[in-house]
Amino acid sequence: MKIGNVEIKGHACLAPMAGVTDRAFRELCVDFGAAYVVGEMVSCRGLTYNNEKTKELLELSDKERPAAVQLFGNEPDIMAQAAVMAMEYRPDIIDINMGCPAPKIAMNGMGSALMKDPELCGKIVSAVKSAVDIPVTVKIRKGWDKNSVNAVEVARICEEAGADAVTVHGRTREQQYMPSADWDIIRQVKKAVNIPVIGNGDVTSAELAAKMLEDTGCDLVMIGRGALGNPWIFHEISMLIGHERPWLPVSNAERISVLLRHVSKICEYKGEKTGMREARKHAAWYFKGIHGAASLRRQAVQLETFADLIELCKQIEV
């Protein structure tokens, strides 16, 4: 498939997740076969105010392409200005967040709250599209709540405004991340627009990725929580859909090896002190399913140094 002039070679991509999909994780997922990655969401106001922490979120490497930066805000002119500033980091695509359910985002009229004003959604897309010369995409939800399911309407308006693709998460803002995602809304959006549609929600295995592609007709599957501590999922999907040999379960030895590689990269990019604080949650995700995982997770929250992690991993039977 293509998003504008950007070719996406594969069936699954990595979703933007605040505090998770940093450069280290994106590069790792690409190594395991992610066809496309989207970085952590970036505040347009923070960017235009030259906030240094905001700028750090935009850093991209050549090891993770094609890659998008994701912007959030609710003022078309500010978002256009931020998109121009983001171009300094050479993204392949600009993605606009219209789906974040977090109260501090949605209660301030941004993220998923934009879906309550479809006309504003169109104005934002139009402004950003006019400001940059790379593809512009949007990520939306099913709607704001059960009484305002309008993903189809918003997707059409965004397409008319110039969006090159739309990602649909099959839950309303009210539902947050529970119960199960409604894949039928993804199918409805796919039938309603002529741009690529990316499906998102509850894909935690290769089998579910294949099922989403078949059931909804979407062009690409976006994986978020299913990739946490599990970057292998992208390789597994490629093998299943490509009818290659059956996927073998990941051994504890490989799980430890990839965890250490992942955390080493976090520390390289952010320094050991910051890196190890962030590594705690990743370690807990990697330990899922390992014998003694509960004890390992309790110890993971106290990690201070990379050496601490190495010692912790020595407890795991390989």
Side-chain angles (χ1 to χ4, degrees):
M1 63 169 287
K2 279 190 172 185
I3 297 177
N5 60 353
V6 177
E7 188 172 3
I8 309 295
K9 299 177 180 178
H11 306 282
C13 63
L14 178 66
M17 291 178 282
V20 177
T21 50
D22 59 8
R23 178 180 169 187
F25 190 51
R26 296 193 304 265
E27 288 182 357
L28 185 66
C29 289
V30 167
D31 283 348
F32 279 102
Y36 164 56
V37 296
V38 185
E40 302 170 75
M41 65 180 184
V42 173
S43 164
C44 288
R45 279 216 166 268
L47 184 54
T48 57
Y49 289 162
N50 288 309
N51 181 284
E52 290 303 317
K53 200 160 189 178
T54 298
K55 289 182 177 180
E56 287 175 14
L57 296 174
L58 291 168
E59 291 181 3
L60 294 171
S61 74
D62 289 336
K63 297 177 182 177
E64 54 180 300
R65 297 183 184 279
V69 297
Q70 189 185 69
L71 305 178
F72 75 90
N74 59 4
E75 300 161 288
D77 56 339
I78 297 295
M79 295 192 73
Q81 183 183 345
V84 171
M85 295 178 70
M87 291 297 291
E88 178 185 339
Y89 300 86
R90 299 188 303 111
D92 300 294
I93 293 168
I94 297 283
D95 187 56
I96 300 171
N97 185 311
M98 297 183 182
C100 179
K104 67 179 181 180
I105 303 295
M107 293 303 115
N108 284 300
M110 298 175 283
S112 55
L114 291 173
M115 296 195 69
K116 295 193 287 185
D117 189 344
E119 184 179 346
L120 177 58
C121 292
K123 289 178 179 177
I124 288 171
V125 171
S126 180
V128 174
K129 183 70 177 177
S130 298
V132 298
D133 59 0
I134 61 173
V136 173
T137 61
V138 297
K139 189 171 191 288
I140 65 174
R141 280 186 166 243
K142 182 177 178 179
W144 176 256
D145 57 28
K146 63 183 179 182
N147 298 314
S148 57
V149 174
N150 63 345
V152 170
E153 177 191 4
V154 172
R156 281 176 169 160
I157 287 172
C158 288
E159 178 183 29
E160 290 170 5
D164 294 282
V166 58
T167 299
V168 184
H169 182 97
R171 294 183 179 91
T172 63
R173 188 270 167 183
E174 181 182 57
Q175 291 175 310
Q176 299 273 326
Y177 297 100
M178 294 289 287
S180 298
D182 174 15
W183 289 1
D184 188 60
I185 193 68
I186 301 170
R187 182 188 62 79
Q188 291 177 40
V189 171
K190 176 60 184 173
K191 289 180 66 175
V193 299
N194 296 308
I195 53 177
V197 173
I198 303 170
N200 178 226
D202 290 351
V203 176
T204 55
S205 69
E207 290 77 14
L208 286 170
K211 182 172 173 56
M212 176 182 275
L213 288 165
E214 181 178 355
D215 289 358
T216 70
C218 68
D219 301 279
L220 190 69
V221 170
M222 179 171 278
I223 298 175
R225 290 174 295 165
L228 301 180
N230 184 30
W232 302 273
I233 192 170
F234 297 103
H235 188 195
E236 184 179 357
I237 291 167
S238 296
M239 294 184 74
L240 177 67
I241 295 177
H243 303 291
E244 298 181 37
R245 63 180 174 83
W247 175 255
L248 300 177
V250 177
S251 67
N252 284 355
E254 183 176 2
R255 191 172 294 277
I256 293 169
S257 174
V258 174
L259 166 59
L260 293 175
R261 174 183 159 199
H262 184 174
V263 175
S264 176
K265 279 293 182 185
I266 298 175
C267 293
E268 177 186 340
Y269 295 147
K270 300 182 179 182
E272 186 173 39
K273 184 176 180 180
T274 298
M276 290 311 301
R277 282 201 303 268
E278 297 195 5
R280 294 168 184 172
K281 60 178 177 281
H282 287 285
W285 290 323
Y286 278 96
F287 292 151
K288 184 178 179 181
I290 291 178
H291 180 68
S295 174
L296 291 167
R297 286 196 294 269
R298 283 195 296 271
Q299 295 175 75
V301 300
Q302 299 174 6
L303 292 169
E304 296 288 346
T305 67
F306 190 70
D308 290 341
L309 178 60
I310 292 174
E311 287 303 310
L312 181 57
C313 287
K314 288 179 180 177
Q315 297 181 29
I316 300 171
E317 187 175 321
V318 296

Coordinates of all heavy atoms in Angstrom, one line a residue, residues 2 12 20 34 38 43 47-48 68 71 85 133 136 139-140 168 202 204 215 231 252 260 273 280 312 315:
K2 N 0.3 2.4 -0.3 CA 1.0 3.7 -0.3 C 0.1 4.6 0.5 O -1.1 4.7 0.4 CB 1.2 4.2 -1.7 CG 2.4 3.6 -2.4 CD 2.7 4.4 -3.7 CE 4.0 4.0 -4.3 NZ 4.3 4.8 -5.5
A12 N 1.6 -4.8 9.0 CA 1.4 -4.3 10.4 C 2.3 -3.2 10.7 O 3.5 -3.2 10.3 CB 1.5 -5.4 11.4
V20 N 6.0 5.3 25.5 CA 6.4 3.9 25.1 C 7.1 3.9 23.8 O 8.2 3.3 23.6 CB 5.2 3.0 25.1 CG1 5.6 1.6 24.6 CG2 4.5 2.9 26.4
A34 N 8.1 -4.4 11.6 CA 7.1 -3.4 11.5 C 7.2 -2.6 10.2 O 8.3 -2.2 9.9 CB 7.2 -2.4 12.7
V38 N 4.9 5.0 14.2 CA 4.4 6.4 14.5 C 4.9 6.7 15.9 O 4.8 5.9 16.8 CB 2.9 6.5 14.5 CG1 2.4 7.9 14.7 CG2 2.3 6.0 13.2
S43 N 2.8 17.8 21.4 CA 2.0 19.0 21.6 C 2.4 20.1 20.6 O 3.5 20.5 20.5 CB 2.1 19.5 23.0 OG 1.6 20.9 23.1
L47 N 5.6 22.6 20.9 CA 6.5 22.7 19.8 C 6.7 24.2 19.4 O 7.9 24.7 19.2 CB 6.1 21.9 18.6 CG 7.1 21.8 17.4 CD1 8.5 21.3 17.9 CD2 6.5 20.8 16.4
T48 N 5.6 24.9 19.2 CA 5.7 26.3 18.8 C 6.3 27.2 19.9 O 6.8 28.3 19.6 CB 4.4 26.9 18.4 OG1 3.4 26.7 19.4 CG2 3.9 26.1 17.1
A68 N 6.3 8.3 11.0 CA 5.5 9.5 11.2 C 5.7 10.1 12.5 O 6.0 9.4 13.5 CB 4.0 9.2 11.0
L71 N 1.1 14.7 15.9 CA 0.9 16.0 16.5 C -0.5 16.1 17.1 O -1.5 15.5 16.6 CB 1.0 17.2 15.5 CG 2.3 17.3 14.7 CD1 2.2 18.4 13.7 CD2 3.5 17.4 15.6
M85 N 7.5 23.1 11.6 CA 8.6 23.0 12.5 C 9.1 21.5 12.6 O 10.2 21.2 12.7 CB 8.3 23.5 13.9 CG 8.1 25.0 13.9 SD 7.6 25.7 15.6 CE 9.2 25.5 16.4
D133 N 4.7 19.4 2.6 CA 4.7 18.7 1.3 C 4.9 17.2 1.4 O 5.4 16.5 0.5 CB 5.7 19.3 0.3 CG 7.2 19.1 0.9 OD1 7.3 18.6 2.0 OD2 8.1 19.6 0.2
V136 N -0.2 13.5 4.9 CA -0.9 13.9 6.2 C -1.9 12.8 6.5 O -2.8 12.5 5.6 CB -1.5 15.3 6.2 CG1 -2.3 15.5 7.5 CG2 -0.4 16.3 6.0
K139 N -5.7 10.0 13.0 CA -6.0 8.8 13.8 C -7.2 9.2 14.6 O -7.2 10.1 15.4 CB -4.9 8.4 14.7 CG -5.1 7.0 15.4 CD -3.8 6.5 16.1 CE -4.0 5.1 16.6 NZ -4.9 5.0 17.8
I140 N -8.3 8.4 14.4 CA -9.6 8.7 15.0 C -10.1 7.5 15.8 O -9.5 6.4 15.7 CB -10.7 9.1 14.0 CG1 -11.0 8.0 13.0 CG2 -10.2 10.4 13.2 CD1 -12.1 8.3 12.0
V168 N -8.4 4.0 12.2 CA -9.6 3.9 13.0 C -9.4 3.0 14.2 O -9.1 1.8 14.0 CB -10.8 3.5 12.2 CG1 -12.1 3.5 13.0 CG2 -10.9 4.3 10.9
D202 N -7.2 -4.2 19.7 CA -7.3 -5.6 20.1 C -6.6 -6.6 19.2 O -6.9 -7.8 19.1 CB -8.8 -6.1 20.2 CG -9.5 -5.4 21.4 OD1 -8.8 -4.8 22.2 OD2 -10.7 -5.6 21.5
T204 N -3.6 -8.7 19.1 CA -2.5 -9.1 20.0 C -1.8 -10.4 19.5 O -1.0 -11.0 20.2 CB -3.1 -9.4 21.4 OG1 -4.2 -10.3 21.3 CG2 -3.6 -8.1 22.0
D215 N -11.7 -9.4 7.8 CA -13.0 -9.0 8.3 C -13.4 -7.5 7.9 O -14.5 -7.2 7.6 CB -13.2 -9.1 9.8 CG -13.3 -10.6 10.2 OD1 -13.2 -11.5 9.3 OD2 -13.4 -10.8 11.4
P231 N 7.9 -7.4 20.6 CA 8.2 -6.9 19.3 C 8.2 -8.0 18.2 O 8.1 -7.7 17.0 CB 9.6 -6.3 19.4 CG 10.2 -7.1 20.6 CD 9.1 -7.3 21.5
N252 N 13.0 -18.3 26.5 CA 13.3 -17.3 27.6 C 14.7 -16.7 27.3 O 14.9 -15.5 27.6 CB 13.4 -18.0 28.9 CG 12.0 -18.3 29.5 OD1 11.0 -17.9 29.0 ND2 12.0 -19.0 30.6
L260 N 17.4 -7.0 27.0 CA 18.7 -6.3 27.3 C 19.1 -5.4 26.2 O 19.6 -4.3 26.4 CB 19.8 -7.3 27.6 CG 19.6 -8.1 28.9 CD1 20.7 -9.2 29.0 CD2 19.7 -7.2 30.1
K273 N 20.3 6.9 33.9 CA 19.4 7.3 35.0 C 17.9 7.3 34.4 O 17.0 6.7 35.0 CB 19.8 8.6 35.6 CG 18.9 9.0 36.8 CD 19.4 10.3 37.4 CE 18.5 10.6 38.6 NZ 19.0 11.9 39.3
R280 N 11.8 0.0 33.5 CA 11.1 -0.8 34.5 C 9.8 -1.3 33.9 O 9.5 -2.5 34.1 CB 10.8 0.1 35.7 CG 12.0 0.5 36.5 CD 11.7 1.6 37.5 NE 12.9 2.1 38.2 CZ 12.9 3.1 39.0 NH1 11.8 3.8 39.2 NH2 14.0 3.5 39.6
L312 N 19.0 -9.3 37.6 CA 17.6 -9.7 37.6 C 17.3 -10.8 36.6 O 16.7 -11.8 36.9 CB 16.6 -8.6 37.4 CG 15.1 -8.9 37.5 CD1 14.7 -9.5 38.8 CD2 14.3 -7.6 37.3
Q315 N 18.0 -14.6 37.2 CA 17.0 -15.4 37.9 C 16.1 -16.3 37.0 O 15.5 -17.2 37.4 CB 16.1 -14.6 38.8 CG 16.8 -13.8 39.9 CD 15.9 -12.9 40.7 OE1 14.7 -13.3 40.8 NE2 16.3 -11.8 41.2

